[in-house]
Every structure is written in C-alpha cells, then in structure tokens.
C-alpha cells in the first residue's frame, strides 16, 4: 500500500537505479524492465520507499541516455511501454513509488525535433533550439564539461548556424523562449504521469533559459516556467514529486523551492563532498559550516542527501583549496578523476573501511533531508576505473557469485559493461546473495538502518540543532519533530573519542539507543558523557520523563 | 476438601528463616494468621495493620489473631512503624523474608520483592499453628476498610470456603490486560469466573494450605510469573471452594513495576505456564460458572483515566514494523494475515476484532507450549497486539455508557469459550 500522505517524500528513502545495470531479464546483456520487475521483492525487503530511474528513453547513448531521442517512448533494449506499466503497478503494489529522470534542458541531436530543425530555417521545430550566426552570444556562461567541450556553441553545417548547448555538443539545448517547447515538455510530463509515474528528477534545471549579459543560470524566467509545471501537476495529480538537479550553492538552490510552489525536493550538492572532508580531516566544521550556509526551505519541501550517484563525485561546489584536498585525500591516482570530480563508488573511496561506510551512511540518514542510495552501494560494490567516462560506477549489479554476477545469463562478452571481478570487490565476494545470508553484512546493516529511520518521522521532518562540544572530532545534533527528540552523535575520527554533550535542555530524558533499544543513563543538567569507538555513532531517542512515567496511560493499570 | 493432619505430612521447611523457627517454637494457639507484606511502605502499612486489628476486634472477636509483618528489607523503617501502630495489645511478629530476584525483573503490583517467599512462610506458619485462616494483605494499600476483616475471613470461618480472592471496583478501562485476557482465559479454562484481580488481599483455609498450597512445587516459576496469579490460578483450577470478596476501590502507593512488556510477559506467562501443568483439568471443562461473593456490590466506575489511544495505536504500528517475523512464527497463518490487514490509517475507524484477539491469545499459548521461540521474547511480542486491541476497545466504546464496555467484555469472554475447541484441538495435535 502506498502512503496517502502528500508529504511522503519527506520520510522516504530513495534508491537510484540504472535500468541497464540492475537486472537483465531477457539475457541480451543489458538490464531491462523485465529484470527490474524480478528484483522488486529485493527492494521491498531492503525497505526503500522510492525508486529513481535514470533515463530509459530511446537514445544514441552518447551520454548514457541523457541524450534523449524521443521523450515519449521506451528504449527498445529496456523493454516495452506495457512492461513499464507493469513495473509501476508491481512497485506500487509493494508500497514503492517510482520517479524517473526527465531531461528538460536539451535533447539528443538525433531527436526528430533537432533533425527537422537543422534541415529548414522555417520548419516548425527550428525555434525549438537556440541558433546563432556566431559563437559569441551569452559569452558569460561557463563551460560545464571542460574535459571535452571548448565552447557552448557548435557549428551545424546542415543548418548553417551555431546551436547552443550547455553540455555535450551532441545535446542541443531546447529553446524555452518558444511557447511550443514549453507546452511540449509539459505534455511530456503529463504523458508519463498518466502512465503511473510518481514524479520526476528534473535534470539540469538551472540552464533552461538564456539571457545576454548573465551566466545563463538560475534566471527568473526559468523559475516562472518551473512554477507553471508545478501548477499543472498539482491541479491534475496527487502525491507526485518534482526533484531538482541543480548543482549549485544552497542559497542558489533555495529559489527552486519557491514558496513551496516550485520543486518539492532538490539535491544538496555541496554537502556531499564536505561529509567526506569531515571524515578525512576528523573535524566536524566542514559539515556544520555547510548547514550554516543552508537557508531555511518551505515546510513542504525537502533536501535530498546522497553520498554517491551515477556521476562523478562532483567537486564543482568546492573551492580550489578544498578541491585539492579532496583529490589528495580520495583521488591521488589521476585515473580516477573525472571532469571536476572523482569517478569512484562509495566503498573504494573509503578504502572499503566498513566503519567509515557506516558512519557516512549514518550521516546522510540522520541529517535533514531524504537519503538516496545508489544501487550497489548497499552491498559495498566496487568500481572499474579502467572504463571510460563514468562507466566505472555503472557496472552490472552484483546479485550472486554466479556467471555475470547473476545479472544476466548472457555470454560475458555480451554484457553492456563487464562486471567487477577483482579480488576485493569482485562479484564472487561482494554480492547480494551472500550478504543476505550473513546477519552482520553491510546489506543487513543498511536494511536495519533504513528500518530504524522509518520509525521516526523526526529524521525526515525534524528541525536540527547542532551541539558544540569541545571535542571537534565529534559531530552531534538534535532532531526534533512533534513529541520526538532524537540525539545523533558521530565520531568522525579513526580513534576512540570521549565527548561531553550539553543536554541540560533535555534534563530528565532517557536516551534510548534506536538500534538495540538499550536505555542509557538519564540526562541531567550536567554535561552528558559519551565514549565512541573509532568512526562510531549513536542514534538515540530522548524519551522524556513523563509525570506519570507512562507512555500509553495504562502501564500502572493494565492488571 | 479433606484436611490432612499436619503430623502426617512431610514438607521441606528448610526455606523458613531461623527467626521464624524460633518464633514458632514459642507460639501459642492461633485461629487467624494475618500477614501484612511490606517494602518501604512506612506511610501506608501502619494504617493497614491498625485498621485490620480494629476490624478483627469488631467482626471476629472470638478468633485468636496473630499479625505478622513480612518485610522485604525496607530502608524506611517500615517494620518499626508497623510495630508501633499495632501496639502492645495485639499479638505481633515482625519478620524479614528472603528476597531473590526473579528472572523477569519484576516484583508485583504491591512492589514487595520476594513476595512468593513471604506467602509461603505465612502459609507454613498457619499450618504449623493449625490456624483456620491465613490472610495476606498488601502493606501499600490506602483503601483498607474495617469490613475487610469480615469479608476476607468469615466465608472461611463460617461458610466452608477454601480461598477468598479479591475483586476491586475499577474505572471503565482499568485493568484491560486482566479483563481482556487473564480473567476470561482463566474462567474459560477452569470453569470458575474469577475476576483475576491480583494481589491486594486474599485468604486461604487451612485445608487449602495443606492440600494445595504447600504441596505445590515451589520452583522458579512461582517468583518468575508472580505468586498472585499463581495462587489465583491454583484456586480456580483445583477442587477448592472459591469466593470473591468485593473490596471496593483499590487505592495504593504505586511503585515501579517494570515496563509494560515485562508486566505482560510475567502475568500472561504465568497463565500459560499453569496451562501446561493443569492440562488435564482445563481440557474437559465445557462451561464456566459464577463463584460466590461477599462484600459490597461493585459497579464499574465511569471514570475513563488518561489513556493515550493514539500512542497505543502507534505502538501497534511499531509492532507491525518490527515484530512481523516473530508473529509469523507464533501466530496461525489466518491470524497473522488478519493482523497484517488491520487498517490503522483512520484512528476512529480502527477495530481489532474480538475473535482475532482470542485467536491470537490461543495461538500464543500454543506457541508457548511448543516452545517455538525463547519464551520471554514470545510473550513480549504480544505487547503491541495488546495495545492495538485495547485501543480498539476504547475507540469502539468511549462514547457509550459504562454498560457498553461491560457488554463488550462479556462478548469477549463468550468468544473465549466459543473458541476453546480450537485451542484444545491444536493443543492435542501439538502433543501428538
């Protein structure tokens, strides 16, 4: 049963999936919806609430599907529209929602709109794109993919004009000044919502409009259009969600929430590298500083927190010094650097240190926002840095120690990418099957943490107050929502730490550890002493002292 | 009930404290042994003792009374305060009973540790002194009345009763674990409709002490599950003339009892434990009948108390999240499925069918019998289900007069009897 709460996304744990990488149902070496349907029981068992699918539309796959050739179809290799609908029904039946990537900013140069546009200056779709007879317009706009692109303009010999693209040159930007484009993309969204989708992760939203003299990002026109999308969805559908991909500073992302009338959710990009920095430097300040710079958002909005995703660990929102530190700490080997970031999965980034993996997951599970798990990170999957671009973190999901990691029955040479097979992260040792059988595996730990998080809405909806103990290696904060108060304490250091917390405001409360149910000594007006193992953490529910000592009102009168 | 002579029985009395042996050696003939159980009850126990002394003087002046304060090592000077309150005019012993912690870490509603040892000592003293009646009263009570002296002893002295069990007047939702499980289950099993109000005060005849109480195996189960439920079940199960004394409201100085799950595990575990012992007794019982009463007629009070129904439903929901794997093991498939299907989205519409509740109780009794899980975990897994059922009872009846609650509980009791063949059939199947 799906929750009927329209704010469901505030409590949800998200799970990011690439259809091609998850499970191959027809044995052709590429993951598909048939395979995905077969793995829904696993996802239900894990306890996640919402699946985020990367683009599955027809595409020449020059940018792994983000170069969409047809917004209204399913790529043949992934299945049929009927299978998508069946997948949605099956997910919903298990209480899981599904959102999908929608690339608003651009299309593939193979899209029929672009092919028609370049053929005729007077054709109906010519103005679907941004054309120029020179490459000097919008000169203040930065180039995002500096590894591959020299300009945001590319000459098209057929059209005999330059076209505008903020990303790869094979991805021409749509012209949102054109009402027909705005309507076409609204219709695209409506089409998919009518199929049963629960929302969209909207790709690259800051770049929809261009205006001379600006950096062509976050323009007011963009917000006006996004608000019109929200209006249409709210007017016609119930319980759907829009998630913004805006790799910006929180103050720049804040407008994307509007007054609660634009996006429901947005990624908190700059927090992510600072979680890694905090652990590496054994100091809480990078993390607390980031929240100091994070503005309040409307009550019906939510941040999305993540440790890794299908892209590189982006360092765009880091200063030069911070970037150097991150490269030094996590990417000394130049082979693992991608664009402005690091192309590694979570486990290899953390040198497969289970304690660090747990600690960082604990942070994204307990800081304000909804966590997103990248497929495979729940079992500590490794990557393949020898593969080009970001393919190294998009290898087949490792289900079993059998052929092709249980991902596909095909000839191994047929796989869309080779399964990771090294001694440390290879599917023979890291796979779902073996970890399901082990009570203390990372997978079982993740499942328990997801379950514990779901028990308290304060994780998703509570306020946050950072505590400031003198020991800066310890990050402690209080989350409060309605009658619930949670105390979260993390040791960012690789050595055991003691900390004294100022909890006088909660005098009389009893900290009850959420995972084991152990009751800790009662809080008094004196500093509360805790000791933490290296990279250790505590999740406490501060159970208040009740005048009658009763929670239900019948403890003393049950007999 | 036949009464064996004391010199014909060989009972192990090694548990008797040396102090008691010395007192017994010098004791004079006694008709009534009155034990006041205390543990840090300095504010209430002196009044209890004094009231009872006055009551016996008024209602049973011809009986020779020995009052004994059994104390569980109070730190507030309770024994001295009780002694002062009793005064020089009455026969009085002050003894300390041994205290050994039970495994479930709970004492009893009276908060007296080692309560089972105290009751056993008092019964043994009555036996050794050939006292006709042994009365046990909690020292933390604030509602003891002079007439208790009559109600709790006269049925034995004059009417041939063997055991007097207490029944207190209650608020409409007070004692829901008792009224929805312990009492109807015990009544259904053994055929005597007892209120199963544990502790407070109860009395035994000498024949009950000699034939039933002392010969029982006083093993670990008694302190583990609590002497009060054990005594009540013993009286209900065995061939004894049971009478209920209606004692009015029960007010007392509350003490920590342990969390709800522990209270539930102890009390329900006690009944389940005795089901194994007395299978031959309860299997053939087809119907239950009322037992005689003494005292004032009792009506359920309309006072509601402060129940947090929303939290109770949340407690049930948490069980749905956390305990499904355990329930899947201990419940029958149909009961398990029905539990999963209970809708909890609309609190006002939340209903936990009585029949499902009874089936759950029977399923847990069977799972306990079959040792499907570590028993303490099994018993504690009932807690969210109890919260859910109680919340449902409150939601369904809170706008009705108190008679509506009583009717709902009567229907539930009837459900226990109707479904008893299910219990018997599965129990037999399990034993084969």
């Amino acid at each position: 049963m799906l929750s009927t709460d329209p704010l469901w996304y505030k409590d949800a744990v998200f799970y990011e999936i690439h259809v091609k990488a998850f499970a191959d149902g027809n044995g052709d070496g590429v993951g598909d919806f048939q395979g995905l349907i077969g793995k829904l029981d696993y996802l239900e068992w894990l306890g996640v609430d919402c699946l985020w699918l990367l683009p599955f539309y027809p595409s020449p796959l020059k940018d792994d599907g983000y170069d969409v050739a047809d917004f209204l179809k399913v790529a043949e290799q992934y299945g049929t529209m009927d299978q998508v609908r069946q997948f949605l029904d099956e997910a919903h039946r298990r209480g899981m929602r599904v959102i999908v990537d929608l690339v608003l900013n651009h299309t593939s140069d193979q899209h029929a709109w672009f092919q028609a546009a370049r053929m005729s200056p007077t054709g109906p779709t010519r103005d679907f794109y941004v054309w120029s007879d020179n490459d000097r317009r919008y000169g203040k706009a930065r180039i995002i993919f500096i590894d591959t692109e020299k300009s945001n303009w590319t000459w098209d010999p057929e059209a005999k004009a330059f076209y505008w693209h903020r990303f790869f040159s094979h991805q021409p930007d749509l012209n949102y000044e054109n009402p027909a484009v705005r309507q076409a993309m609204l219709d695209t969204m409506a089409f998919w919502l009518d199929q049963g989708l629960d929302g969209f992760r909207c790709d690259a939203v800051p770049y929809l409009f261009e205006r001379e003299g600006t950096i062509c990002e976050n323009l007011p026109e963009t917000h006006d259009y996004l608000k019109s999308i929200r209006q249409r969805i709210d007017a016609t559908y119930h319980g759907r969600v829009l998630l913004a991909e805006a790799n910006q500073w929180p103050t720049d992302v804040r407008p994307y929430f509007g007054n609660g009338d634009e996006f429901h959710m947005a990624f908190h990009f700059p927090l992510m590298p600072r979680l890694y920095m905090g652990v590496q430097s054994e100091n809480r300040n990078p993390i607390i500083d980031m929240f100091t710079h994070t503005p309040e958002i409307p009550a019906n909005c939510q941040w999305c927190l993540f440790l890794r995703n299908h892209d590189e660990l982006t360092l765009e929102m880091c200063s030069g010094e911070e970037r150097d530190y991150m490269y030094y700490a996590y990417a000394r080997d130049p082979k693992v650097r991608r664009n402005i970031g690091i192309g590694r999965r979570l486990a290899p980034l953390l040198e497969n240190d289970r304690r660090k993996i747990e600690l960082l997951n604990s942070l994204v599970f307990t800081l304000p926002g909804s966590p997103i798990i990248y497929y495979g990170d729940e079992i500590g999957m490794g990557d393949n840095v020898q593969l080009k671009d970001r393919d190294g973190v998009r290898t087949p999901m490792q289900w079993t120690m059998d052929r092709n990691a249980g991902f596909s029955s095909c000839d191994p040479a047929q796989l869309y990418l080779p399964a990771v097979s090294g001694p440390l992260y290879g599917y023979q040792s890291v796979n779902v099957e073996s970890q399901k059988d082990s009570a203390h595996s990372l997978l079982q730990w993740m499942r328990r943490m997801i379950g514990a998080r779901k028990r308290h809405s304060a994780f998703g909806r509570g306020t946050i107050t950072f505590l400031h103990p003198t020991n800066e290696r310890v990050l402690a904060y209080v989350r409060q929502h309605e009658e619930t108060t949670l105390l979260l304490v993390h040791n960012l250091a690789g050595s055991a730490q003691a900390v004294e917390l100022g909890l006088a405001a909660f005098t009389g409360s009893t900290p009850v550890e959420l995972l084991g149910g152990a009751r800790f000594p009662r809080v008094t007006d004196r500093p509360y002493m805790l000791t933490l193992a290296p990279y250790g953490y505590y999740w406490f529910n501060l159970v208040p002292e009740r005048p009658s000592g009763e929670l239900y009102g019948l403890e003393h009168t049950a007999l | 009930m036949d009464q064996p002579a004391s010199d014909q029985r060989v009972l192990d009395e090694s548990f008797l404290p040396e102090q008691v042996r010395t007192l017994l050696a010098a004791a004079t003939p006694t008709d009534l042994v009155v034990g006041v159980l205390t543990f840090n009850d300095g504010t209430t126990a002196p009044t209890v003792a004094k009231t009872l002394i006055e009551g016996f003087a008024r209602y049973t002046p011809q009986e020779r009374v020995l009052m004994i304060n059994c104390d569980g090592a109070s730190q507030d000077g309770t024994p001295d305060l009780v002694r002062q309150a009793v005064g020089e005019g009455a026969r009085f012993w002050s003894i300390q009973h041994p205290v050994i912690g039970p495994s479930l870490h709970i004492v009893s509603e009276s908060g007296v540790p080692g309560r089972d040892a105290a009751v056993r000592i008092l019964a043994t003293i009555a036996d050794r002194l050939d006292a006709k009646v042994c009365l046990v009263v909690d020292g933390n009570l604030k509602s003891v009345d002079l007439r208790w002296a009559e109600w709790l002893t006269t049925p034995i002295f004059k009417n041939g009763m063997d055991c007097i069990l207490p029944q207190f007047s209650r608020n409409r939702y007070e004692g829901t674990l008792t009224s929805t499980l312990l009492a109807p289950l015990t009544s259904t099993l053994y055929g005597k409709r007892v209120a199963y109000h544990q502790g407070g005060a109860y009395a035994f005849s000498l024949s009950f002490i000699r034939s039933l109480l002392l010969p029982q195996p006083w093993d670990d189960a008694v302190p583990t599950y609590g002497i009060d439920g054990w005594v009540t079940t013993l009286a209900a199960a065995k061939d004894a003339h049971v009478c209920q004394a209606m004692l009015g409201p029960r007010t007392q100085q509350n003490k920590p009892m342990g969390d709800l799950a522990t209270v539930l595990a102890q009390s329900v575990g006690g009944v389940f434990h005795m089901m194994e012992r007395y299978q031959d007794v309860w299997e053939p019982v087809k119907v239950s009948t009322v037992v005689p009463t003494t005292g004032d007629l009792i009506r359920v009070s309309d006072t509601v108390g402060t129940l947090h129904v929303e939290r109770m439903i949340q407690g049930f929901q948490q069980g749905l999240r956390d305990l499904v794997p355990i329930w899947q093991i201990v419940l029958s498939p149909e009961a398990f499925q029905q539990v999963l299907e209970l809708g909890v989205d609309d609190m006002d519409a939340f209903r936990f069918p009585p029949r499902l509740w009874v089936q759950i109780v029977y399923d847990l009794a069977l799972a306990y019998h079959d040792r499907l899980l570590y028993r303490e975990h099994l018993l504690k897994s009932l807690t969210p289900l109890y919260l859910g059922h109680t919340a449902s009872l409150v939601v369904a009846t809170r706008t009705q007069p108190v008679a509506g609650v009583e009717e709902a509980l009567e229907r539930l009791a009837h459900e226990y009897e109707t479904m008893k063949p299910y219990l018997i059939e599965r129990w037999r199947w399990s034993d084969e």
Side-chain angles (χ1 to χ4, degrees):
Chain A
M1 279 282 289
L2 289 176
S3 156
T4 54
D5 183 353
L7 300 180
W8 60 267
Y9 50 87
K10 301 197 76 162
D11 305 313
V13 175
F14 287 70
Y15 187 89
E16 183 188 354
I17 294 175
H18 207 334
V19 177
K20 76 172 182 183
F22 208 57
D24 174 15
N26 63 4
D28 66 353
V30 181
D32 49 37
F33 279 100
Q34 190 184 330
L36 190 46
I37 291 167
K39 298 300 182 185
L40 284 174
D41 284 343
Y42 163 74
L43 295 167
E44 182 188 16
W45 172 86
L46 183 59
V48 296
D49 304 286
C50 183
L51 310 179
W52 159 27
L53 302 189
L54 300 191
F56 51 73
Y57 317 102
S59 163
L61 296 177
K62 290 182 181 172
D63 186 19
D64 211 12
Y66 283 89
D67 46 337
V68 179
D70 189 337
F71 286 112
L72 304 180
K73 288 186 176 159
V74 181
E76 206 173 289
Q77 67 270 29
Y78 298 149
T80 65
M81 190 63 81
D82 282 344
Q83 286 175 328
V84 172
R85 281 191 283 263
Q86 185 193 352
F87 162 71
L88 292 173
D89 288 344
E90 291 294 323
H92 290 163
R93 196 165 64 78
R94 291 167 173 82
M96 290 182 283
R97 287 182 159 86
V98 181
I99 64 172
V100 66
D101 244 302
L102 185 66
V103 188
L104 287 169
N105 182 65
H106 50 260
T107 69
S108 161
D109 59 6
Q110 300 305 303
H111 196 290
W113 293 343
F114 188 74
Q115 288 301 316
R118 59 198 295 247
M119 294 301 177
S120 165
T122 57
T125 63
R126 178 73 169 197
D127 282 345
F128 271 43
Y129 298 90
V130 182
W131 300 97
S132 173
D133 55 5
N134 64 66
D135 60 358
R136 294 183 297 279
R137 291 172 67 195
Y138 311 132
K140 290 190 174 177
R142 67 189 169 113
I143 298 167
I144 295 169
F145 287 159
I146 56 171
D147 283 3
T148 52
E149 301 300 326
K150 302 299 177 209
S151 168
N152 287 325
W153 292 102
T154 291
W155 175 256
D156 184 81
E158 193 71 41
K160 296 185 174 51
F162 289 95
Y163 62 87
W164 176 250
H165 57 87
R166 290 305 303 268
F167 296 91
F168 293 114
S169 58
H170 55 77
Q171 292 168 324
D173 275 25
L174 286 164
N175 175 20
Y176 276 87
E177 297 287 354
N178 183 350
V181 168
R182 298 201 294 270
Q183 187 59 45
M185 294 312 289
L186 274 171
D187 292 344
T188 297
M189 296 177 113
F191 171 81
W192 284 109
L193 293 176
D194 289 340
Q195 308 308 312
L197 270 176
D198 298 289
F200 299 100
R201 179 264 194 188
C202 298
D203 186 63
V205 291
Y207 314 105
L208 301 189
F209 285 80
E210 297 80 32
R211 196 198 304 158
E212 201 60 69
T214 71
I215 62 169
C216 299
E217 296 178 20
N218 310 318
L219 295 178
E221 302 90 311
T222 299
H223 290 291
D224 291 342
Y225 178 61
L226 294 171
K227 281 188 169 72
S228 70
I229 291 177
R230 174 68 180 269
Q231 276 176 1
R232 175 155 174 187
I233 289 178
D234 282 354
T236 316
Y237 305 95
H238 175 76
R240 312 299 170 100
V241 68
L242 292 172
L243 165 60
E245 189 219 20
N247 189 354
Q248 310 275 326
W249 280 99
T251 45
D252 294 328
V253 176
R254 170 65 185 82
Y256 287 93
F257 292 117
N259 295 316
D261 57 356
E262 204 167 316
F263 279 95
H264 302 82
M265 310 180 79
F267 291 104
H268 199 314
F269 274 97
L271 172 66
M272 180 267 300
R274 281 157 187 87
L275 296 174
Y276 291 94
M277 280 181 217
V279 172
Q280 184 64 28
S281 63
E282 303 192 348
N283 189 297
R284 66 179 183 238
N285 288 326
I287 300 168
I288 293 184
D289 286 350
M290 187 42 57
F291 278 95
T292 308
H293 293 107
T294 299
E296 287 286 311
I297 59 175
N300 62 341
C301 296
Q302 179 74 311
W303 291 107
C304 259
L305 308 184
F306 61 101
L307 292 170
R308 289 296 298 112
N309 61 20
H310 60 286
D311 285 328
E312 70 277 11
L313 190 166
T314 177
L315 302 176
E316 280 188 86
M317 292 299 122
C318 292
S319 67
E321 192 180 339
E322 289 171 329
R323 206 172 289 169
D324 289 345
Y325 180 75
M326 286 294 287
Y327 281 139
Y328 170 77
Y330 292 105
R332 286 185 209 179
D333 181 354
K335 278 207 301 282
V336 304
R337 300 180 188 179
R338 297 286 188 281
N339 295 312
I340 306 174
I342 303 167
R344 302 225 72 177
R345 270 187 175 272
L346 180 64
L349 272 171
L350 301 175
E351 298 168 310
N352 210 24
D353 187 330
R354 170 75 179 267
R355 299 169 305 172
K356 288 188 195 174
I357 294 172
E358 288 189 9
L359 177 70
L360 278 172
N361 272 300
S362 173
L363 287 169
V364 294
F365 272 52
T366 58
L367 285 166
S370 296
I372 297 187
I373 301 165
Y374 184 48
Y375 85 90
D377 280 350
E378 75 272 25
I379 55 171
M381 253 175 74
D383 49 37
N384 184 347
V385 298
Q386 307 302 330
L387 297 174
K388 68 175 176 55
D389 194 16
R390 291 153 290 179
D391 283 350
V393 299
R394 300 174 182 182
T395 56
M397 178 69 177
Q398 296 171 192
W399 295 103
T400 68
M401 63 176 293
D402 300 332
R403 172 195 181 108
N404 300 327
F407 164 79
S408 172
S409 60
C410 72
D411 181 330
Q414 247 186 303
L415 288 175
Y416 74 95
L417 286 175
V420 173
S421 57
L424 192 55
Y425 300 106
Y427 60 84
Q428 296 87 345
S429 54
V430 178
N431 62 67
V432 169
E433 184 181 61
S434 64
Q435 294 200 20
K436 270 187 99 169
D437 287 344
S438 168
H440 303 288
S441 65
L442 177 62
L443 176 62
Q444 294 282 6
W445 178 88
M446 289 286 281
R447 183 170 179 254
R448 284 195 294 275
M449 298 303 262
I450 291 169
R453 189 184 189 282
K454 283 173 147 182
R455 273 181 233 130
H456 296 280
S457 53
F459 283 117
R461 305 188 186 213
T463 59
I464 186 165
T465 306
F466 286 100
L467 305 179
H468 296 280
T470 52
N471 185 346
E472 293 192 339
R473 290 187 170 91
V474 175
L475 173 62
Y477 41 96
V478 171
R479 305 288 313 276
Q480 287 181 289
H481 178 65
E482 295 177 345
E483 292 183 358
T484 304
T485 302
L486 304 177
L487 169 66
L488 299 313
V489 189
H490 296 85
N491 176 13
L492 304 176
S495 54
Q497 298 293 320
V499 66
E500 289 186 330
L501 300 173
L503 297 176
F506 308 104
T507 297
S509 296
T510 301
V512 178
E513 205 275 322
L514 286 184
L515 302 172
R519 298 170 78 86
F520 275 53
R522 186 170 291 200
V523 175
T524 68
D525 56 0
R526 305 184 62 188
Y528 195 83
M529 174 85 172
L530 280 174
T531 54
L532 294 112
Y535 302 119
Y537 54 88
Y538 288 120
W539 292 13
F540 289 118
N541 183 11
L542 294 182
V543 178
E545 187 177 37
R546 298 177 193 282
S548 63
E550 297 191 327
L551 176 62
Y552 304 113
L554 49 61
E555 284 85 343
H556 284 129
T557 58
L559 289 177
Chain B
M1 180 178 289
D2 295 333
Q3 178 179 318
S6 61
D7 53 358
Q8 291 178 322
R9 293 166 294 108
V10 180
L11 293 174
D12 175 17
E13 294 183 350
S14 59
F15 66 93
L16 276 182
E18 192 57 39
Q19 175 199 17
V20 175
R21 292 171 196 269
T22 306
L23 288 166
L24 278 172
T28 56
T30 301
D31 298 314
L32 171 61
V33 170
V34 182
V36 177
L37 309 189
T38 59
F39 178 62
N40 292 332
D41 293 318
T43 57
T44 52
T47 307
V48 170
K50 200 170 172 182
T51 305
L52 289 173
I53 292 285
E54 288 175 24
F56 292 127
R58 180 182 298 181
Y59 295 107
T60 58
Q62 70 282 10
E63 311 294 352
R64 292 165 294 183
V65 178
L66 169 62
M67 176 155 286
I68 302 173
N69 175 206
C70 274
D71 188 73
S74 293
Q75 303 297 307
D76 66 345
T78 297
D80 290 340
L81 294 168
V82 174
R83 182 185 295 279
Q84 289 166 21
V86 171
E88 298 296 325
R91 289 174 62 206
F92 178 75
W93 293 358
S94 177
I95 63 176
Q96 226 179 58
H97 59 263
V99 175
I100 300 168
S103 62
L104 284 175
H105 312 298
I106 180 173
V107 278
S108 77
E109 203 170 350
S110 69
V112 177
R115 185 177 172 82
D116 56 301
V119 172
R120 190 180 185 189
I121 290 169
L122 289 169
T124 305
I125 292 172
D127 172 44
R128 293 285 297 273
L129 298 181
D130 288 330
K132 296 174 203 161
V133 179
C134 175
L135 170 63
V136 180
V137 182
D138 287 340
N140 68 332
L141 290 169
K142 296 178 179 174
S143 53
V144 174
D145 186 280
L146 287 180
R147 290 171 298 172
W148 285 26
E150 180 190 13
W151 296 336
L152 286 163
T153 60
T154 304
I156 297 177
F157 280 131
K158 296 187 175 170
N159 303 331
M161 290 293 158
D162 294 309
C163 181
I164 316 295
L165 298 174
Q167 184 174 359
F168 298 97
S169 60
R170 295 190 145 177
N171 297 336
R172 59 190 288 158
Y173 298 124
E174 188 181 352
T176 47
L177 183 58
T178 301
S179 60
T180 65
L181 198 160
L182 302 173
L185 176 58
T186 301
S187 300
T188 299
L189 289 173
Y190 305 111
K192 292 177 192 162
R193 289 187 203 164
V194 292
Y196 212 92
H197 291 180
Q198 297 187 57
Y202 40 74
F204 318 115
S205 69
L206 185 60
S207 60
F208 184 88
I209 289 170
R210 287 183 175 163
S211 303
L212 297 177
L213 195 61
L214 291 179
Q216 290 299 315
W218 288 78
D219 51 19
D220 287 346
V222 183
T224 298
Y225 294 121
I227 180 74
D228 300 326
W230 186 78
V231 162
T232 307
T233 306
L234 188 66
K238 287 297 190 177
D239 182 21
H241 298 297
V242 177
C243 173
Q244 290 196 130
M246 301 195 168
L247 301 176
R250 176 181 187 168
T251 54
Q252 61 189 20
Q253 175 184 300
N254 282 326
K255 294 178 183 173
M257 289 179 62
D259 61 278
L260 182 63
T262 306
V263 170
L264 193 145
Q266 185 180 43
S267 55
V268 178
V271 177
F272 288 176
H273 178 79
M274 299 293 259
M275 282 175 74
E276 297 201 297
R277 185 177 294 181
Y278 297 129
Q279 180 187 350
D280 58 325
V281 176
W282 60 259
E283 261 202 28
V285 173
K286 302 287 186 206
V287 293
S288 63
T289 55
V290 295
V291 298
T293 60
T294 181
D296 278 348
L297 182 65
I298 288 177
R299 297 296 302 177
V300 175
S301 157
D302 204 23
T303 308
V304 175
T306 49
L307 291 179
H308 303 293
V309 176
E310 194 174 344
R311 286 186 200 154
M312 289 158 69
I313 292 177
Q314 286 168 356
F316 170 65
Q317 285 174 308
Q318 185 161 339
L320 276 175
R321 287 191 291 267
D322 299 345
L323 295 179
V324 162
I326 288 183
W327 292 346
Q328 196 164 14
I329 294 169
V330 300
L331 298 181
S332 58
E334 60 270 26
F336 177 68
Q337 191 57 37
Q338 285 183 66
V339 168
L340 294 184
E341 290 169 1
L342 289 175
V344 290
D345 290 338
D346 181 357
M347 197 178 81
D348 290 331
F350 178 63
R351 293 292 182 277
F352 198 120
R355 190 174 180 82
L356 172 61
W357 170 246
V358 175
Q359 182 162 2
I360 286 169
V361 172
Y362 285 163
D363 283 346
L364 254 81
L366 291 158
Y368 180 95
H369 178 54
D370 292 340
R371 294 179 181 272
L372 291 184
L373 279 177
Y374 176 59
R375 284 179 160 177
E376 188 174 335
H377 291 175
L378 181 150
L379 291 164
K380 286 183 172 177
S381 77
L382 181 61
T383 310
L385 296 162
Y386 161 65
L387 289 172
H389 178 255
T390 306
S392 164
L393 175 71
V394 175
V395 169
T397 60
R398 60 184 160 191
T399 58
Q400 298 177 17
V402 70
V405 183
E406 289 180 308
E407 284 168 17
L409 293 175
E410 278 172 23
R411 284 196 299 275
L412 183 67
H414 180 69
E415 205 68 68
Y416 273 94
E417 298 200 0
T418 306
M419 292 185 67
K420 189 173 178 183
Y422 167 82
L423 171 70
I424 293 171
E425 183 183 344
R426 285 199 53 203
W427 193 287
R428 284 179 183 161
W429 181 80
S430 155
D431 283 345
E432 283 172 1

